[in-house]
């Protein structure tokens, strides 16, 4: 009876969305302003086991993933999360399927959750802060579904729930009042730590004129940027070159590259900037386009972006400041499905960072071991030593985003391009 009612409710909501033109009337909450191309929600590589798995507690789970606005070939959040879900489900013999929204809106993402639930999926993985509104609108409607949201913070949920009333200070609100905490787990990341690693590595590798190109000045991007500045400063102090190091710093005002931002990057590279940390969705395109003209370098973000950035110029990507989307996805699925530990996750908005001082690849924030351009100035052993010091607390990184960190190197804060 519950399944029938859930199906009836899901169909009713989908029809209502169609009647409204798929527009929820809210401010667009996503990184990319380009709507996704409508696709069939049934991919050809859905995993369908011959015998459903019987996990801890006897409940049979089916895992779905909803993409935020892009596709599973974006070499970023969607692709990494999709591959992690599929790898886990293939190994566990679980039914897995992904759903891609027909447009870039909360309504589009909610419609895909409705479709997944109607198809019988009871664990739904959602990557990206754009799912704040989806959590608000679906968590109470589907109390028997478990939602795993990656990179969704309290502020993302509050902004979606409160709209113009939100003061952008989550400490002033009880976020649990705005969604069903019993069936939602959110993971966020200590971006300042991997930003620090990237800035530290760049200076140790010999770069003296650096840049930071952020997307929008939201807390996650700010943590990346301020961590980067702190890492640059720390390495410069160790080498005694503080007076030689300059950081150009700007936000694009959006999460995609365009001609205006590329032109801005052209002036940086032409003016002597050697390497730019491009931090925010597709904004890396503008940095890479400008770098290609002069043989400049780029630092990737969120995942190992060497594959897509190096398409603009061989060897362009020095390193990437990565979030551990894959381990977070697989670890959570295992804990919930195999170990029956949902009670340890429900209602949490958990900050993920360093969990090992000896194995950098086990951490939820890291640099890529395989593609970072290690050299005598900064070797893999140097990186492991840095991680060990950060894990032990010998090296500390501030996550304060209220103001640019006070540092010894020169920082030219240029505000926002748009």
């Amino acid at each position: 009876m519950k399944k029938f009612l859930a199906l009836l409710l899901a169909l009713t909501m989908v029809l209502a969305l169609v009647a409204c033109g798929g527009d929820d009337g809210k401010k667009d909450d996503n990184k990319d302003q380009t709507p996704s191309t409508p696709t069939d929600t049934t991919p050809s590589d859905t995993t369908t086991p011959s015998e459903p798995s019987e996990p801890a507690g006897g409940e049979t789970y089916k895992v779905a993933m909803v993409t935020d606005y892009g596709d599973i070939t974006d070499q970023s959040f969607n692709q990494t999360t999709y591959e992690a879900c599929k790898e886990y489900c293939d190994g566990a013999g679980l039914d897995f399927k992904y759903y891609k929204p027909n447009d870039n809106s909360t309504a589009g993402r909610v419609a895909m959750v409705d479709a997944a639930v109607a198809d019988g999926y009871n664990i739904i993985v959602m990557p990206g802060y754009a799912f704040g509104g989806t959590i608000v609108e679906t968590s109470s409607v589907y109390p028997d579904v478990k939602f795993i949201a990656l990179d969704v913070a309290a502020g993302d949920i509050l902004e979606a729930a409160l709209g113009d009333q939100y003061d952008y200070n989550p400490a002033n609100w009880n976020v649990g009042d705005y969604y069903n905490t019993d069936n939602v787990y959110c993971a966020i990341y200590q971006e300042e730590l991997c930003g620090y690693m990237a800035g530290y590595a760049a200076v140790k590798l010999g770069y003296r004129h650096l840049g930071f190109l952020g997307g929008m000045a939201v807390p996650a991007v700010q943590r990346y940027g301020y961590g980067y500045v702190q890492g640059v400063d720390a390495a410069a102090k160790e080498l005694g070159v503080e007076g030689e190091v300059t950081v150009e710093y700007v936000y694009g005002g959006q999460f995609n590259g365009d001609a205006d931002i590329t032109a801005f990057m052209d002036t940086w590279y032409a003016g002597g900037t050697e390497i730019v940390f491009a931090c925010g969705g597709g904004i890396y395109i503008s940095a890479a386009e400008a770098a290609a003209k002069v043989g400049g370098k780029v630092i990737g973000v969120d995942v190992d972006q060497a594959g897509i950035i190096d398409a603009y110029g061989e060897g362009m990507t020095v390193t990437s400041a990565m979030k551990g989307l894959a381990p977070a996805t697989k670890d959570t699925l295992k804990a919930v499905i195999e170990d029956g530990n949902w009670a340890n996750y429900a209602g949490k908005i958990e900050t993920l960072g360093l969990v090992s001082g000896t194995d950098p690849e086990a951490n939820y924030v890291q640099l890529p071991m395989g593609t970072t351009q290690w050299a005598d100035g900064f070797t893999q052993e140097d990186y492991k030593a840095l991680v060990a010091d950060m894990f032990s607390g010998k090296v500390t990184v501030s996550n304060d985003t209220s103001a640019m960190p006070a540092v010894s190197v020169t920082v030219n804060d240029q505000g926002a391009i748009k």
Side-chain angles (χ1 to χ4, degrees):
M1 185 67 178
K2 285 184 177 179
K3 291 183 178 178
F4 173 77
L5 291 173
L7 176 59
L8 182 60
L9 178 58
L11 290 173
T12 302
M13 293 178 70
V14 171
L15 288 172
L17 288 169
V18 171
C20 295
D23 184 0
D24 61 2
K26 295 180 180 178
K27 179 185 71 172
D28 182 17
D29 57 356
N30 218 317
K31 304 181 208 177
D32 189 343
Q33 305 304 309
T34 304
S36 302
T37 302
T39 65
D40 185 352
T41 60
T42 307
S44 60
D45 57 355
T46 297
T47 302
T48 307
S50 55
E51 295 183 6
S53 172
E54 288 291 343
E59 185 173 359
T60 300
Y61 287 114
K62 296 175 66 176
V63 180
M65 171 199 160
V66 178
T67 64
D68 59 355
Y69 59 88
D71 205 346
I72 59 169
T73 58
D74 65 357
Q75 297 193 52
S76 188
F77 262 61
N78 291 308
Q79 183 170 347
T80 302
T81 307
Y82 165 79
E83 290 173 352
C85 287
K86 191 170 189 308
E87 180 181 340
Y88 175 80
C89 291
D90 283 351
L94 294 175
D95 189 350
F96 168 66
K97 181 177 176 180
Y98 83 96
Y99 294 76
K100 179 181 174 181
N102 285 340
D103 60 22
N104 176 24
S105 67
T106 292
R109 288 179 280 276
V110 168
M112 292 301 96
V113 170
D114 294 338
V117 175
D119 289 342
Y121 291 88
N122 52 7
I123 293 183
I124 299 179
V125 182
M126 305 180 296
Y129 77 90
F131 283 98
T134 309
I135 290 170
V136 171
E137 296 194 21
T138 62
S139 59
S140 295
V141 174
Y142 301 117
D144 296 328
V145 174
K146 295 176 174 60
F147 295 95
I148 299 172
L150 304 174
D151 216 35
V152 178
D156 302 318
I157 295 172
L158 289 168
E159 183 177 10
L162 296 167
D164 292 340
Q165 297 180 55
Y166 184 48
D167 60 2
Y168 292 90
N169 187 348
N172 292 338
W173 307 84
N174 180 13
V175 67
D177 291 341
Y178 301 97
Y179 73 106
N180 181 9
T181 58
D182 291 340
N183 64 337
V184 178
Y185 167 68
C186 298
I188 56 177
Y189 298 85
Q190 290 182 280
E191 294 93 352
E192 70 276 5
L193 299 185
C194 51
Y196 182 101
M197 296 172 189
Y200 185 93
V203 173
K204 287 285 188 172
L205 289 169
Y207 298 98
R208 298 292 179 264
H209 197 166
L210 306 94
F212 175 83
L213 170 64
M216 297 180 70
V218 296
V221 176
Q222 290 176 306
R223 287 193 295 270
Y224 268 128
Y226 291 173
Y228 179 68
V229 169
Q230 292 175 72
V232 167
D233 187 59
K237 286 179 178 176
E238 288 183 17
L239 296 172
V241 296
E242 302 100 299
E244 302 173 24
V245 175
T246 299
V247 180
E248 309 294 345
Y249 197 102
V250 77
Y251 296 103
Q254 60 191 44
F255 284 105
N256 55 283
D258 63 16
D260 293 335
I261 297 174
T262 298
F264 200 95
M265 291 296 99
D266 285 337
T267 64
W268 274 12
Y269 282 108
T273 301
E274 303 163 280
I275 185 169
V276 173
F277 180 16
C279 179
I283 207 164
Y284 77 88
I285 294 171
S286 283
E289 287 176 345
K293 298 169 187 175
V294 296
K297 299 291 186 178
V298 175
I299 294 172
V301 74
D302 289 338
V303 299
D304 183 358
Q305 289 193 309
I308 52 174
I309 293 176
D310 282 2
Y312 292 84
E314 185 177 355
M316 182 181 289
T317 315
V318 172
T319 190
S320 295
M322 296 166 52
K323 295 178 181 178
L325 294 166
T329 300
K330 290 185 280 190
D331 290 352
T332 306
L333 289 173
K334 178 183 181 301
V336 173
I337 295 171
E338 297 179 34
D339 304 333
N341 285 337
W342 179 250
N344 295 335
Y345 290 83
K348 288 186 177 180
I349 301 177
E350 189 171 21
T351 301
L352 304 179
L354 302 178
V355 295
S356 173
T358 57
D359 181 7
E361 293 183 291
N363 291 320
Y364 294 115
V365 286
Q366 57 181 269
L367 303 181
M369 296 290 282
T371 60
T372 296
Q373 294 178 7
W374 312 107
D376 290 344
F378 192 65
T379 66
Q380 284 195 7
E381 291 307 310
D382 294 329
Y383 169 55
K384 291 177 181 178
L386 173 64
V387 171
D389 285 346
M390 295 173 75
F391 183 75
S392 71
K394 182 178 178 180
V395 171
T396 60
V397 186
S398 172
N399 65 357
D400 182 10
T401 59
S402 62
M404 179 70 68
V407 293
S408 300
V409 300
T410 298
V411 178
N412 294 323
D413 189 348
Q414 300 173 45
I417 299 172
K418 297 185 177 185

